[in-house]
Amino acid sequence: MPGKQPGESSSSRSLVDEPDRVVVIEPDRCGKCASPLVDATESGRERRQVVDARPVRPPEVTEYQRVSKTCRCCGTVTTAGWDAVPAEDPRRDVVAAPGSPVRIGPETLARCALLTCGHFLPIGRARALLEALTGMDVSTGFLAGVRGRAARRLEKRFTAHMQALLATAPVVHADETTGRVAGKLSYVHVACTEYLTLMHVGGRTKGDIDAGGVLPEFTGVLVRDGYPGYEHLTQAMHAWCGAHLLRDLRSISDADPDGQLWALAMADTLIEAHHAAHQARERGVTVLDPTVPARIRNHYLGALAQGRDDNQGQRGALATDARTLIRRFHRFQDMILRFAVDLTVPFTNNAAERAVRPVKIQQRTSGGAWRTLTGLTDFAIVASYLDTTTKWGLDKLEALRQLFTTGAWLPPTLTPAE
């Protein structure tokens, strides 16, 4: 099966019992003697089905008419309000809103948001694809504004709900990435778990980090990289991303494999600890056998001692970088090995890096920069919603339909198992 990953099972579509159309293919004459087969007995029948998209139908138009009536008693004219549409009507809010007598419904709004925020398409391509697949022709200005409409709806309840949930999580991943806006750099910050994602936009100061409304109240374990902007969060336990540390060690080792053997030894120690923690989790063990952390720390300290000896008195940029990295491993030993002490803590911060990646994808597909800071801010809010719903196994389009009708879907707990 093309595209199938190694080891994955194959799958195919099943025949449906009631196809929309049946085409019968019958032989006219015998394949041996050429006799007519008009009244011949059927001896077998095989089925094949072709599943295909339907031609695009014209958009559905629902007309709402509000009626005015004159009272026979006093002559007063009473007009029904546009908000008197039944509550179960999914287009109720669209009808009641002020504006043009012709407006776009929630199904189209959901698809606009899906194309631009769920699949990261530029506005022009999203508009063309929307028309090709649905027959809906909207202006680029309208389509560009849907992201903001979605963000305004999410700000009402979703953001505050996520802030409250994340602040109570035992482990939270944090990261930041740059977004280029009108020639300047802004930062998109993320706080997330396996099932929750919340992003916000700001600078890179501690105040900007705190503005997300999660980390100032957080008292669990914060998994992060080495950026010192998180150091003011002293109420939380900190864990350093092992993947970042392995990259730093590799840069030192690759520059001088024979002279910087300590870096390879330290990398092997981290990998050994990671494997031990992973295997313990698979066995359902909550803590490692005490001999394992003791051995890991012994190897850890041995690698540091070798690094100090190998770089003592050495000059040059490599030796300077090596000594800086050695001091980091010495100062943050507990933080670096947190994952081997607390098995609820992952080895890497990949969860945060995956959550914030859509910012870069959207930026690249849209010409390398965001036009306005508001656009980046709105995208971060909508992307948080879509990433969270995806983590819970919900369909993105269905989540957006709900957003534009009854309101944002809200995760009930930290994890589905709770």
Side-chain angles (χ1 to χ4, degrees), residues 47-48 61 70 109 122 170-171 203 274 298 301 305 348 380 383 396 409:
R47 300 167 67 203
R48 288 186 179 183
V61 178
T70 303
L109 293 173
V171 177
H274 170 46
N298 185 49
L301 295 175
T348 73
K396 289 181 179 180
W409 174 86

Side-chain angles (χ1 to χ4, degrees), residues 76-89:
T76 300
V77 176
T78 301
T79 303
W82 288 115
D83 57 357
V85 175
E88 63 272 14
D89 191 318

Side-chain angles (χ1 to χ4, degrees), residues 239-320:
W240 203 308
C241 173
H244 282 80
L245 294 167
L246 289 177
R247 287 196 289 267
D248 292 339
L249 291 167
R250 182 174 181 176
S251 67
I252 297 295
S253 178
D254 287 352
D256 186 3
D258 296 326
Q260 300 290 343
L261 290 174
W262 76 274
L264 182 60
M266 181 62 80
D268 289 342
T269 299
L270 293 180
I271 294 172
E272 176 194 0
H274 170 46
H275 288 165
H278 178 70
Q279 292 168 3
R281 293 188 197 98
E282 287 189 330
R283 297 194 306 269
V285 177
T286 57
V287 293
L288 291 174
D289 183 279
T291 60
V292 177
R295 183 177 71 250
I296 291 170
R297 288 189 182 274
N298 185 49
H299 292 172
Y300 187 101
L301 295 175
L304 286 182
Q306 181 180 358
R308 293 190 192 96
D309 291 343
D310 291 346
N311 289 281
Q312 186 174 10
Q314 298 295 320
R315 296 185 177 182
L318 179 60
T320 299

Side-chain angles (χ1 to χ4, degrees), residues 13 20-21 50-57 132-134:
R13 290 182 178 272
D20 297 294
R21 189 163 66 100
V50 176
V51 182
D52 204 354
R54 298 181 186 274
V56 177
R57 297 175 179 176
L133 296 181
T134 70

Side-chain angles (χ1 to χ4, degrees), residues 131-150:
E131 183 176 9
L133 296 181
T134 70
M136 285 295 301
D137 182 16
V138 300
S139 69
T140 54
F142 174 86
L143 199 147
V146 171
R147 181 173 56 204
R149 293 172 69 167

Side-chain angles (χ1 to χ4, degrees), residues 29-312:
R29 294 183 175 275
C30 175
K32 183 177 182 180
C33 67
S35 298
L37 297 176
V38 176
D39 297 322
T41 301
E42 182 177 320
S43 58
R45 183 175 292 229
E46 291 183 77
R47 300 167 67 203
R48 288 186 179 183
Q49 295 181 348
V50 176
V51 182
D52 204 354
R54 298 181 186 274
V56 177
R57 297 175 179 176
E60 179 186 56
V61 178
T62 303
E63 180 171 291
Y64 294 81
Q65 300 176 354
R66 68 173 186 175
V67 177
S68 300
K69 291 187 176 182
T70 303
C71 178
R72 294 179 179 178
C73 180
C74 66
T76 300
V77 176
T78 301
T79 303
W82 288 115
D83 57 357
V85 175
E88 63 272 14
D89 191 318
R91 302 176 179 87
R92 183 176 186 273
D93 289 347
V94 177
V95 174
S100 165
V102 178
R103 58 271 317 276
I104 304 298
E107 181 67 29
T108 302
L109 293 173
R111 296 186 185 205
C112 289
L114 179 69
L115 292 174
T116 55
C117 298
H119 294 290
F120 321 120
L121 293 181
I123 299 300
R125 286 169 56 190
R127 177 178 178 270
L129 187 59
L130 180 71
E131 183 176 9
L133 296 181
T134 70
M136 285 295 301
D137 182 16
V138 300
S139 69
T140 54
F142 174 86
L143 199 147
V146 171
R147 181 173 56 204
R149 293 172 69 167
R152 301 295 79 74
R153 282 178 166 262
L154 290 168
E155 286 175 340
K156 293 178 180 179
R157 292 185 60 199
F158 175 78
T159 300
H161 181 74
M162 293 290 289
Q163 290 170 338
L165 271 183
L166 283 165
T168 65
V171 177
V172 163
H173 296 260
D175 198 13
E176 71 286 330
T177 192
T178 56
R180 183 165 293 279
V181 182
K184 298 181 180 179
L185 282 183
S186 290
Y187 287 85
V188 179
H189 300 268
V190 63
C192 68
T193 67
E194 183 181 359
Y195 292 101
L196 308 173
T197 296
L198 185 62
M199 289 183 274
H200 74 281
V201 176
R204 215 182 179 200
T205 68
K206 64 180 182 180
D208 293 312
I209 292 174
D210 292 350
V214 175
L215 300 185
E217 308 298 327
F218 181 64
T219 58
V221 178
L222 181 65
V223 184
R224 62 177 182 85
D225 57 20
Y227 176 55
Y230 298 104
E231 291 180 357
H232 71 286
L233 301 169
T234 56
Q235 76 282 6
M237 302 286 284
H238 291 234
W240 203 308
C241 173
H244 282 80
L245 294 167
L246 289 177
R247 287 196 289 267
D248 292 339
L249 291 167
R250 182 174 181 176
S251 67
I252 297 295
S253 178
D254 287 352
D256 186 3
D258 296 326
Q260 300 290 343
L261 290 174
W262 76 274
L264 182 60
M266 181 62 80
D268 289 342
T269 299
L270 293 180
I271 294 172
E272 176 194 0
H274 170 46
H275 288 165
H278 178 70
Q279 292 168 3
R281 293 188 197 98
E282 287 189 330
R283 297 194 306 269
V285 177
T286 57
V287 293
L288 291 174
D289 183 279
T291 60
V292 177
R295 183 177 71 250
I296 291 170
R297 288 189 182 274
N298 185 49
H299 292 172
Y300 187 101
L301 295 175
L304 286 182
Q306 181 180 358
R308 293 190 192 96
D309 291 343
D310 291 346
N311 289 281
Q312 186 174 10

